[in-house]
Amino acid sequence: MISTSQTEATFRALDGFQIELPSWGFANTGTRFGKFLQPAAATTLDEKFSDAGEVHRVTGVCPTVALHVLWDTPNGSRSIGAVQELSRKYGVRPGSINPNVFQDQIYKYGSLGNPDPAARKAALDHILESVEIAQGLGSRDLSLWFADGSNYPGTQNIRHRKAWFEEGLKETHGRLADTQRMLVEYKPFEPAFYHTDIADWGMALLMARAAGPRAKVLVDTGHHYQAQNIEQIVAWLLAEDMLGGFHFNDRRYADDDLTMGSIDPYQVFRIFHEIFAFERETGKRADIAYMIDQSHNLKGKIEAMIQTVATAEELFVKASLVDHEKLAWHQERCELVDAETCLKDAFSTDVRGAIREWARSKGLPEDPMRAFRESGYLEKATQERRERNMSAITSYA
Ligand code: LRH
Ligand code: MN
């Protein structure tokens, strides 16, 4: 049984907790080795908003859905009205806007980093249109990830590409409204396998700083080498006031896009702990966008999303229970075991009862997964979408 003060801490933590859903997490996605179709998967933007609305209905903490411009608003800024209509219909708002400068043929050798000025211009035009879409939708964050890089040594001038990126990102920053931010996401490899132009947190930080004050760094938990200490990167970015947001998922090997906390829940706990420690030390609320970035190739997509949100809530609440006064005392005296025990005690606290209590107090289902399974939503979606989904051809080569 957890203490009253821990229950109060749980309520305080969840009252301020929100996590954004990725529209692409509801769609039939796969790997290069195949795509296993799900009859109830979402294809249209209406279905993606509907599924996001259902997850928000049963969890209460997912009021926004991230949009990927080419996949969700192929008509560009002409789609704004339709998106606003869907937002009203399903009770979830459009969240971060993700330009796509990695799919089109013109981006074979890159987008903003491409030696061909025409490709750089095409990429910038798309990004600037994405800024317009974000402004039209009232979305705060432009979320930027670039597949740019090379596959073989000596095939590209890395410094020229760096300079072209700085140029493009500065121009993008200049178009942002005062209420907007741009988040620069780094990734060490894939699809480029020799060098990636924005490969780690340091490169993303320098790019963001060079672009302007509204540019921050986005940490995708799947974008790190095995041995990297992600929470140390988080602690540094907080200290530099350069942490803008997260793409949460989990991995065993590389950018596996597995469900958050399924492989290493203590990793997520340590990340949230660094954020609570920063807020306690500075008395400042860290201005961070929590977002999920997963593709559900095997698990039921809506169930995987609900499971992920429940895991995020649980790990966030556990991290909020760390006794920071006690921790600081042991840290200053290098009392290692006692200091570590402050984290382990919080991590091993069973907070599920307190979370159910919080949900009840908000008129939300105590058990979101059960509420979803008993709603008949999946059966209805399956019936409506099966024929179209199961007729889709999928082959890699
Ligand atoms: C790249 C990435 C990026 C998205 C994509 C769906 O690996 O993490 O954030 O645009 O996945
Ligand atoms: Mn990502």
Side-chain angles (χ1 to χ4, degrees), residues 188-246:
F189 63 88
E190 189 204 41
F193 292 107
Y194 169 64
H195 100 284
T196 292
D197 289 297
I198 306 181
D200 68 22
W201 70 276
M203 297 177 196
L205 185 147
L206 289 174
M207 277 292 170
R209 279 243 163 95
R214 315 202 69 73
K216 304 287 182 186
V217 176
L218 189 152
V219 176
D220 185 314
T221 50
H223 294 181
H224 298 88
Y225 297 114
Q226 280 297 329
Q228 260 180 304
N229 184 326
I230 302 175
E231 62 270 23
Q232 180 185 5
I233 294 171
V234 169
W236 274 58
L237 289 172
L238 285 165
E240 295 294 323
D241 188 24
M242 287 302 287
L243 179 62
F246 288 93

Side-chain angles (χ1 to χ4, degrees), residues 89-318:
K89 183 176 174 188
Y90 295 109
V92 279
R93 298 189 314 277
S96 62
I97 300 299
N98 296 254
N100 183 321
V101 288
F102 51 85
Q103 205 170 293
D104 288 358
Q105 294 302 310
I106 195 171
Y107 300 133
K108 181 174 181 182
Y109 300 117
S111 64
L112 292 186
N114 194 313
D116 175 358
R120 297 201 296 273
K121 182 173 182 326
L124 188 57
D125 290 350
H126 174 74
I127 293 169
L128 296 181
E129 181 170 22
S130 304
V131 171
E132 269 177 46
I133 293 171
Q135 281 161 1
L137 293 174
S139 291
R140 182 187 188 206
D141 291 335
L142 182 78
S143 192
L144 297 167
W145 171 69
F146 300 95
D148 288 52
S150 66
N151 276 358
Y152 302 97
T155 55
Q156 288 292 303
N157 183 313
I158 293 172
R159 264 187 314 288
H160 288 178
R161 297 175 71 95
K162 175 177 180 288
W164 291 323
F165 261 98
E166 282 162 1
E167 221 178 275
L169 293 176
K170 215 178 252 132
E171 177 121 11
T172 304
H173 188 281
R175 294 290 186 87
L176 295 176
D178 293 349
T179 52
Q180 289 188 296
R181 302 185 305 175
M182 52 191 269
L183 307 180
V184 180
E185 181 177 0
Y186 57 89
K187 184 175 182 179
F189 63 88
E190 189 204 41
F193 292 107
Y194 169 64
H195 100 284
T196 292
D197 289 297
I198 306 181
D200 68 22
W201 70 276
M203 297 177 196
L205 185 147
L206 289 174
M207 277 292 170
R209 279 243 163 95
R214 315 202 69 73
K216 304 287 182 186
V217 176
L218 189 152
V219 176
D220 185 314
T221 50
H223 294 181
H224 298 88
Y225 297 114
Q226 280 297 329
Q228 260 180 304
N229 184 326
I230 302 175
E231 62 270 23
Q232 180 185 5
I233 294 171
V234 169
W236 274 58
L237 289 172
L238 285 165
E240 295 294 323
D241 188 24
M242 287 302 287
L243 179 62
F246 288 93
H247 275 180
F248 284 116
N249 46 64
D250 211 336
R251 78 298 168 50
R252 185 70 199 77
Y253 301 102
D255 190 17
D256 310 346
D257 278 347
L258 302 177
T259 42
M260 181 186 183
S262 57
I263 304 295
D264 186 357
Y266 197 46
Q267 166 67 82
V268 181
F269 170 90
R270 297 194 307 269
I271 289 172
F272 282 144
H273 164 65
E274 283 303 332
I275 295 165
F276 281 112
F278 170 80
E279 293 185 335
R280 181 179 170 281
E281 247 163 63
T282 61
K284 277 197 307 190
R285 186 123 176 74
D287 183 5
I288 300 171
Y290 294 128
M291 302 176 276
I292 296 167
D293 180 5
Q294 292 168 188
S295 48
H296 307 116
N297 300 330
L298 303 178
K299 285 180 178 178
K301 298 171 191 297
I302 299 174
E303 289 206 355
M305 211 70 94
I306 294 171
Q307 182 193 35
T308 299
V309 174
T311 301
E313 286 179 312
E314 198 180 336
L315 294 166
F316 188 75
V317 167
K318 283 174 185 277

